[in-house]
Amino acid sequence: MNSYLINFFVYTLAMIGFFVLAVWVYKKSVYSNTASKDKGFLNIENMLRLSPTKTIYVIKAGNEKFLIAGDSANTTMLAKLENNQSTEIYNNEK
């Protein structure tokens, strides 16, 4: 009887370990993307929510900054900003 209980616990722990490993591998494969190698290349510097579906973003891509408008259906580039323009826009909002 004791050997059956020991075998049961060993196989149960092995299966739990297998499932934990499978979930860990799944999360690593789903949440890892190729853009993670270029971290910091594309950043949202600032955003202003105009309505529940419309938002304006200041996006930094490398050394360039862009003013982007986005809603549930479209994304539109409004302007390419100079380095000091984004801080002027931010300071004028306050």
Side-chain angles (χ1 to χ4, degrees):
M1 182 69 177
N2 285 338
S3 66
Y4 291 118
L5 232 75
I6 292 172
N7 286 339
F8 173 76
F9 285 125
V10 168
Y11 289 127
T12 303
L13 289 176
M15 290 308 294
I16 290 172
F18 174 75
F19 285 124
V20 168
L21 180 66
V23 168
W24 181 75
V25 168
Y26 174 74
K27 283 186 176 184
K28 283 289 193 180
S29 65
V30 168
Y31 293 117
S32 68
N33 58 19
T34 57
S36 65
K37 296 175 186 171
D38 296 329
K39 277 190 176 177
F41 178 75
L42 190 63
N43 291 324
I44 298 175
E45 289 207 339
N46 200 355
M47 75 176 236
L48 175 64
R49 196 170 293 278
L50 302 175
S51 72
T53 59
K54 295 181 181 181
T55 309
I56 294 180
Y57 301 95
V58 175
I59 306 286
K60 183 177 180 185
N63 295 328
E64 298 177 335
K65 294 180 183 179
F66 300 96
L67 188 63
I68 307 289
D71 61 13
S72 59
N74 297 331
T75 302
T76 308
M77 184 177 114
L78 300 175
K80 182 177 176 182
L81 303 174
E82 300 297 324
N83 286 337
N84 57 359
Q85 277 183 315
S86 63
T87 56
E88 290 173 8
I89 292 171
Y90 181 72
N91 291 334
N92 290 337
E93 288 176 0
K94 292 182 178 181

